[in-house]
Amino acid sequence: MNKKTAGFLAFLSVFAILALCWTQISLKAADSRTLKVKLNYTGAGTLDEKHKIHVLIFDSDPYTSETFKPMVSKTAATKNEIVIFTALGVSPVYALAFYDKYASNQPESGSPVGIYGKGPNKMAPIKLEEGKTVEIELAFDDSVTVP
């Protein structure tokens, strides 16, 4: 192997390593969106080991999309808990919470439900920026339930 070929291969190796590092940095930045959801459930339901509040995050409005599949979910054990979602790779997102009235881990008919938005079925998009944390309040009671 001559010096010219060896130099070119060394350049390619360094370039490949830099490209890999850049890809990792880009992926990390894209996943650095954080959402803090401050719950305010004022309904009559008692929270315990089986009856919790589930917070669901969607990448599209579940009222207008064809599927009702959250991208991530977490539970809360208190009525005023802050639930934190990290490494969200998309923006905007949509937030929905329900009180697990029947201890089924899913929003069943009659379960109190709340959304981030205006009205019982008009969700508002939550815009997330890379490297930043967005905080929202999601308040609900027993007046709106899953149909």
Side-chain angles (χ1 to χ4, degrees):
M1 178 182 316
N2 64 30
K3 287 184 178 182
K4 195 173 192 181
T5 304
F8 182 70
L9 290 175
F11 170 77
L12 282 179
S13 297
V14 170
F15 181 76
I17 290 170
L18 289 175
L20 181 61
C21 290
W22 179 256
T23 302
Q24 293 299 320
I25 291 168
S26 296
L27 289 173
K28 187 170 183 131
D31 290 340
S32 65
R33 297 174 176 106
T34 300
L35 176 64
K36 288 185 177 181
V37 179
K38 167 75 170 90
L39 294 172
N40 183 9
Y41 173 60
T42 56
T46 301
L47 276 71
D48 58 28
E49 190 60 36
K50 292 182 179 181
H51 303 88
K52 296 184 179 189
I53 295 174
H54 295 264
V55 183
L56 312 174
I57 303 298
F58 298 87
D59 60 1
S60 61
D61 184 341
Y63 288 103
T64 60
S65 70
E66 294 179 18
T67 62
F68 185 84
K69 185 173 187 219
M71 44 185 275
V72 65
S73 67
K74 291 191 176 188
T75 59
T78 65
K79 292 184 175 191
N80 295 328
E81 193 167 324
I82 295 175
V83 181
I84 301 172
F85 296 92
T86 59
L88 296 171
V90 299
S91 179
V93 296
Y94 299 82
L96 177 146
F98 71 93
Y99 170 68
D100 195 357
K101 184 175 181 176
Y102 304 107
S104 64
N105 292 323
Q106 56 187 350
E108 291 195 32
S109 181
S111 297
V113 66
I115 63 165
Y116 180 76
K118 298 178 182 185
N121 61 355
K122 295 188 189 227
M123 298 184 87
I126 304 162
K127 294 183 181 179
L128 304 174
E129 293 184 42
E130 292 180 10
K132 296 193 178 177
T133 298
V134 173
E135 298 181 29
I136 63 162
E137 181 171 350
L138 204 161
F140 69 109
D141 55 25
D142 296 339
S143 63
V144 177
T145 60
V146 175

